[in-house]
Amino acid sequence: DQQVKQNSPSLSVQEGRISILNCDYTNSMFDYFLWYKKYPAEGPTFLISISSIKDKNEDGRFTVFLNKSAKHLSLHIVPSQPGDSAVYFCAAWGGDKIIFGKGTRLHILP
Amino acid sequence: GAGVSQSPSNKVTEKGKDVELRCDPISGHTALYWYRQRLGQGLEFLIYFQGNSAPDKSGLPSDRFSAERTGESVSTLTIQRTQQEDSAVYLCASSLAGLAGVDTQYFGPGTRLTVL
């Protein structure tokens, strides 16, 4: 049973537009959420996180929104750049464990 | 300074053999994590070490998997009697204090394991 779900395996966005990556979770005990970015043949890179006591966290071009009642979070990237093409993983922290989604591959189109 | 390193970068082994994967965390990082990523799947948490506390092993997929860490240094992940389903990239990460979200995890480049 997947506790963290990224329902879109891939997403294509025009350069300069907004990229929106979505993530749903089932466990209301999760208290911290993270987004990671991964290029091929490299380890994941931490991007941005959000505590369950907040509903928004912003860092440069990246903003994460959390809707606790819907158990949904999203990552917004604006404006999208070619270097943003990668796989994005949503993760949730509960206790001593991080549970990851399966990832969404983002393609930024020229 | 040096990042997280892992060795070997690639390992090809025959089914039934044992393999040992090594992770050198960033110096001073008390927390160390092992993950794996199988083809077409997301990252899977395996085990987490925090200082000298007993590790959380609940993510290990079977009793063929074990991991050790001496103090706050090197960790080894051992897979006994490897199976083809063990083929994956094994990733190690370390962080300063082990508090996810508050504390950034830094990942190594991974070990690509192929079981024939």
Side-chain angles (χ1 to χ4, degrees):
Chain A
D1 179 34
Q2 267 188 282
Q3 296 190 54
V4 178
K5 296 181 185 178
Q6 293 177 256
N7 291 319
S8 299
S10 69
L11 175 69
S12 294
V13 174
Q14 209 77 35
E15 181 179 353
R17 299 288 183 100
I18 183 170
S19 296
I20 300 177
L21 299 145
N22 292 304
C23 178
D24 296 288
Y25 62 96
T26 58
N27 190 340
S28 57
M29 298 302 290
F30 290 141
D31 53 14
Y32 226 100
F33 303 91
L34 311 94
W35 284 95
Y36 289 84
K37 172 182 177 180
K38 185 181 183 299
Y39 293 118
E42 294 184 14
T45 304
F46 171 78
L47 268 182
I48 191 168
S49 65
I50 189 166
S51 164
S52 60
I53 63 173
K54 294 189 172 183
D55 55 19
K56 178 182 174 181
N57 187 26
E58 192 172 350
D59 184 3
R61 296 186 300 115
F62 301 92
T63 303
V64 56
F65 295 92
L66 175 62
N67 182 334
K68 283 188 67 180
S69 61
K71 294 192 179 68
H72 176 83
L73 64 155
S74 60
L75 174 69
H76 293 212
I77 306 172
V78 57
S80 300
Q81 297 176 353
D84 296 331
S85 292
V87 177
Y88 289 78
F89 291 95
C90 165
W93 178 266
D96 286 347
K97 198 173 300 182
I98 297 178
I99 299 176
F100 285 83
K102 291 193 173 182
T104 296
R105 183 175 297 279
L106 177 64
H107 299 271
I108 304 301
L109 306 171
Chain B
V4 177
S5 61
Q6 292 184 247
S7 60
S9 55
N10 276 288
K11 176 72 177 177
V12 180
T13 189
E14 293 179 350
K15 179 181 171 181
K17 301 270 186 169
D18 297 351
V19 295
E20 189 173 278
L21 312 180
R22 177 187 168 110
C23 173
D24 285 87
I26 294 173
S27 177
H29 280 193
T30 64
L32 187 146
Y33 311 78
W34 283 98
Y35 302 90
R36 75 174 174 183
Q37 184 176 24
R38 290 187 282 188
L39 191 64
Q41 299 187 25
L43 284 174
E44 182 183 356
F45 169 81
L46 297 178
I47 189 169
Y48 159 59
F49 295 90
Q50 171 62 60
N52 293 318
S53 302
D56 174 4
K57 300 182 180 181
S58 58
L60 294 177
S62 78
D63 58 10
R64 296 186 294 105
F65 287 72
S66 61
E68 292 184 351
R69 186 183 188 199
T70 305
E72 295 180 357
S73 61
V74 170
S75 175
T76 54
L77 177 70
T78 302
I79 309 173
Q80 295 177 308
R81 305 181 302 281
T82 52
Q83 304 294 312
Q84 288 181 331
E85 71 241 27
D86 299 334
S87 296
V89 176
Y90 288 81
L91 290 158
C92 174
S94 72
S95 68
L96 193 59
L99 299 174
V102 177
D103 197 35
T104 302
Q105 292 183 40
Y106 296 86
F107 282 81
T111 294
R112 182 175 296 279
L113 174 66
T114 304
V115 181
L116 301 176

